[in-house]
Amino acid sequence: MMGRALITGAAGGVGEALAKRLSREGYTLVLTDRDGDALEKVSDALPQPAELLVADLRSEVGLKQLCDRLENPKSPIDLLINNAGIIVPGPVGSLPNDLMRAHVDINLTAPMVLCAAAARAMIARKKGYIFSIMSLAAIGPMKNSASYCGSKFGLRGFKAALALELEPHGVGVGGLFPSAIDTPMLAAEMASPDGSPLNFIGNVKPLTPDQIADHVVKAMNKGRLETWLPKSDGFMASLMMMFPKLLKPVVGYFERQGEKKKQDYLKTLKSS
């Protein structure tokens, strides 16, 4: 499907890679982020300028602005990609209440609200696609990232139910569940002593934003509800959650396995 795509969190990292990839696929782009200057730089690097919307996903005003755009019948949105996200690791008791709320606001509430607006418009046209950049932390928990996991677990359930609702109307729903992605967000997460080594279990090194963008296009072309990267990690996380009594020893084992890769990653950050 081609048409017009709206991407959240489009000012860099995966959002920027998605903008470039979808532009090559022939999409007209609507890019949104709270960083207007960075958003303009992304747009300037595209073959065709994008429509830019500076909006904060924690703001009711910002969400309304994006919902109005999604439901504008004069220039309909054919593809919504929920890409914006936040993760600040730390034990639950150490995080300020507002920071815990920020995880829910950005990772769960905003995508839900935007999905609802997109669904209303797409149902009326009987076509469209809603896609979200998720995380393997939506399938299996990470210690010291409870707020993040809670928000992603919630979004996974929401999208699965949404897919059942929208399928009869010809509207597709999908999500990508990757492990570590080589972005400033990962660097900030790993700079904390509480950054989870589970990010480094399956892949030899973190996926690049360009690889993520390629996987998104492949997943949409195949119409998959969920795509796990790597698939083995998604399978192990699913299996682990089937047997909660094994959660502690299994997570502990994989944390030890991932710690060396985490330290190797941190060394690359120091040398760059």
Side-chain angles (χ1 to χ4, degrees), residues 138-177:
I139 304 173
M142 298 192 303
K143 185 176 66 180
N144 295 326
S145 293
S147 297
Y148 180 74
C149 291
S151 65
K152 290 295 186 177
F153 264 69
L155 185 58
R156 186 191 188 197
F158 174 83
K159 291 190 68 62
L162 184 66
L164 295 174
E165 292 183 23
L166 297 186
E167 190 275 335
H169 302 282
V171 178
V173 176
L176 195 71
F177 295 70

Side-chain angles (χ1 to χ4, degrees), residues 200-250:
F200 301 94
I201 293 300
N203 292 320
V204 175
K205 57 183 180 180
L207 295 161
T208 68
D210 287 339
Q211 287 175 317
I212 294 298
D214 288 342
H215 280 292
V216 168
V217 172
K218 290 177 183 177
M220 290 193 299
N221 286 339
K222 293 181 179 180
R224 289 178 176 170
L225 175 61
E226 296 190 352
T227 300
W228 304 339
L229 296 176
K231 186 180 296 185
S232 58
D233 281 20
F235 176 77
M236 286 303 300
S238 300
L239 187 63
M240 179 176 65
M241 293 302 291
M242 292 175 63
F243 303 97
K245 288 185 178 180
L246 298 178
L247 191 61
K248 184 177 179 180
V250 171

Side-chain angles (χ1 to χ4, degrees), residues 14-64:
V14 172
E16 180 178 6
L18 283 167
K20 293 177 179 177
R21 185 69 169 83
L22 293 181
S23 180
R24 293 199 302 271
E25 290 290 313
Y27 281 91
T28 300
L29 299 178
V30 180
L31 307 181
T32 181
D33 200 283
R34 64 178 183 176
D35 188 339
D37 291 339
L39 208 55
E40 288 185 7
K41 291 180 181 178
V42 171
S43 180
D44 289 344
L46 297 173
Q48 298 293 330
E51 178 184 343
L52 306 181
L53 298 174
V54 179
D56 185 347
L57 295 181
R58 295 197 74 192
S59 161
E60 288 294 332
V61 173
L63 279 179
K64 184 178 185 305

